[in-house]
Amino acid sequence: MFILLIGLVSLLVVAAVVILVVQSRHVKTEAAFDRSLAVAAAVAASPSTVEALRSPDPTRLLQPRAETIRKRADVDFVVVMSPDGTRWTHPEEDRIGRRFVGTIAPAREGRVVRESVDGTIGPLHQVTLPVRDGDGEIVGLVSSGVTVGSINLMLTDELPLLLGTGGAVIALASGGAALVSRRLLRQTRGLGPDEITRMYEHHDTVLHSVREGVLIVDENDRMLLANDEAKRLLGLPDDAPGRLIGDLGLDRAAVALLTADREVTDEVHLSGGRLLAVNHRLVAPPGGGPPTGVTTLRDTTEMRALSGRAEAAQKRLSLLYAASVRIGTTLEIGRTAEELAEVAVPDFADYVTVDLIEEVLSGEAPGEAPAAMRRAAVGGVEESHPLRQLRSRVVLGRDSPQLGNLAAGRAVVENDLPGTDWWHGGDPEHAALLRDRGFHSLVTAPLHARDTVLGVAAFWRAENPEPFDGEDLSLAEELAARTAVCVDNARRYTREHGMAATLQRSLLPRALPDQNAVEAAYRYRPAQAVGGDFFDVIPLSGARVALLVGDVVGHGLRAAATMGRLRTAVYNFAALDLPPDEVLGRLDELADRTDRDETDGEDVGSVTGATCLYAIYDPVEGRCTMARAGHLPPALIHPDGRVEFPDVPAQPPLGVGGMPFETAELRLAEGTGLVLYTDGLVEARDRDIDTGLDLLRTALERAPRAPEAACDDVLAAMLPEPPSDDVALLMARTRVLSPDRVATWDVPFDPAAVSAVRADAARRLADWGLSEAAFITELILTELVTNAIRHAAGPIRLRLLRDRALICEVSDGSSTSPHPRNASATDEGGRGLFLVTQYADRWGTRYTPDGKIIWAEQRLPRRAGRRPSAGE
């Protein structure tokens, strides 16, 4: 055995060395191909290679480079050739100018060729690929490779290590075999046949003295061995060994089990008034041949009574474990009640009903235990049953134990339903249906959590004839207690979710304001958990409009409250006519200050992590200025249907601070679509943002031009299922104010020029059919222009816009902001802006890089006809 073991180990070591050598050769060959491909690709991609190939003498330029690369890259050759295969370089210079040895046709078609050939320097592995110029034309070929001899040299260097390792393994195996042989000799202590015989006698003594029956049956169904316990349990005679199993007077079931050709584990059989646990195994003899059957028997008659009670307890524990895992998986009140029915049926009850107080179903805190509730769940072993269905009204009897124990938090059991009437609930006809169907036992357990009564769970038995006992009553109370906690959690969540949803709806715009700058539409899709997405369309001075979309990290009341704060702040900053970068800068400052103020106090909603995109569109110039803070870029739908995501400078989210915000200015043609959205539209669990943006691009390309219809199509394409995060989508199609509704004059820096400007404005108003507004308009522009000449710097320009309102704008080169003041009776001035505030509907100041603009708006006279759109 020792020599056999050494020979087997030697064969295994030799086989392992051969496999390692073959594997090493394969790895080095693949590495040679990869290295050759990298070298050839580098040479082909070099611009100097293309220039050299087009030179009069490519060899002069390429040969030194090729040799330098060959030596540094550890390859055996680098050959640059013409498309027809004429070599320009070669390690052996006498081979330059000859035809290349190898396949080049695929390379001339633009493909990479990997091959093993017998080349000019011996067997080798080479890679050939094309050299392209800047226009993609193939101007030459490059081949690089390693000879088989180089690979063999590397294998030769590794062979001593492999052989040394194999020899070491053989030596270790030989020493281990010697140690095992000596160990076995010491363990047997040199026992001879007599000693081993006595050992078997002792084994036989033990076999016949154990309290478990053992039988061995051969392949011919003849009993070979039966110990004393087996004879006692089966009533076998003393001469049973050697006889056929069928001749021992056993019943058919026992004979079939002892001669079975299958394995049996702890199978219980009744024999002679005893419950026997039987294990049957088929054991093949060491020398081979048909298997013999070995059967063990154990008397479990006394254990069955105890195991029955243990099995019932185990069943209850399993049911409680299932309840802890399967009840309360969601925060839906109705679903939580249904989960109780799914757990309790059929292992505990045949039918289960759950009735909840109506305030609980709506998320409100219930009052005292009422006599009427609503059915929240019903389930049973059969779908057709006479129990009341979902949402039906359930009335408890005034004198019923249910009502009294409901407030006390105790369960009630009734095992004689036909003989009692307290459970009728004021409906004897319904009770009669239950009796006719065989309902005989009932346990009603109150749903009581955090000192609050939520409802009642009822467990019914009809198919199961066993009545409920005291342990069943305790189990019903435990199931009801676990369900009550989950229902109360769902109730609290429902209440908070409703409050957050109500707050969010009140903070978001219910309708878009009237304006002519864009045709806008929006869609808002809340997730199950209310989030902080917000959007808005804000009309600005000068017929402009601000478009806004943002997202607050998180969900719930805090996110909704934070969203409201941000949206209100944006609305106030927009009223100051601030540019987008200043609006985001002030929002960032507000967020940073708010977070610092709340660091030591109660956290009512951190602003850090909120994102925002703010854009201002001017329909007069067709210009859109936008900035973003941590938000996704907008999408543009050009009039020709092309969709792009403009490069708007990306800045950190609000509250991070430290960097000024940058703006991007775009010129938009009339009819361009501007799409603002939150990340819930493009990001999901099964896709990243890049994939979502590609899907959004495709959806926008296929969407109709009208924003209302486009919103529906985009949501249908992007959100086939309810979203996991809030989604806000704002789509606007730009309009351009017609040039004939815009009038502009350069005003000389001279008080005498006011009258001429006033006359020009009056003529333009007459052309517009607004002569009735001429007097007030002349008064307003007189005051504004005069103030600019007296108190500001040039240049001064006047612009009249006819939009939904008549807008008068005076721009100058000063950054000083005018403000009204109360002039006394003796003051000669100070009443100009007061008059403007009295006659104009709105007025204000906005700053530009060159100064400021003072504007005033007036309502158009009704007889002027319908209000023109921006595109007219």
Side-chain angles (χ1 to χ4, degrees), residues 187-250:
Q187 290 293 330
T188 57
R189 299 180 183 275
L191 293 178
D194 295 337
E195 289 82 1
I196 294 177
T197 300
R198 285 196 300 272
M199 184 169 51
Y200 274 107
E201 291 176 353
H202 297 161
H203 176 269
D204 188 64
T205 302
V206 173
L207 178 66
H208 288 280
S209 63
V210 295
R211 297 291 295 174
E212 185 168 331
V214 179
L215 299 98
I216 300 178
V217 181
D218 64 8
E219 69 276 9
N220 298 318
D221 297 338
R222 190 178 301 275
M223 183 173 293
L224 300 179
L225 173 68
N227 66 350
D228 295 341
E229 184 67 11
K231 294 178 181 178
R232 185 183 70 84
L233 295 176
L234 296 178
L236 298 176
D238 294 336
D239 60 348
R243 297 174 57 182
L244 294 174
I245 296 296
D247 297 338
L248 299 178
L250 300 175

Side-chain angles (χ1 to χ4, degrees), residues 437-507:
R437 186 63 177 269
F439 285 75
H440 59 83
S441 297
L442 167 66
V443 172
T444 56
L447 301 179
H448 201 277
R450 301 182 180 96
D451 298 328
T452 303
V453 177
L454 305 174
V456 173
F459 304 90
W460 308 78
R461 281 185 179 175
E463 311 297 332
N464 186 355
E466 295 294 329
F468 291 109
D469 55 21
E471 294 183 354
D472 293 332
L473 184 64
S474 300
L475 179 59
E477 290 179 342
E478 182 66 24
L479 291 175
R482 292 174 182 265
T483 304
V485 173
C486 296
V487 168
D488 192 51
N489 291 337
R491 178 191 66 81
R492 291 168 177 261
Y493 170 78
T494 301
R495 180 182 60 183
E496 182 176 347
H497 183 273
M499 293 172 61
T502 302
L503 175 61
Q504 187 181 45
R505 286 194 299 268
S506 66
L507 295 176

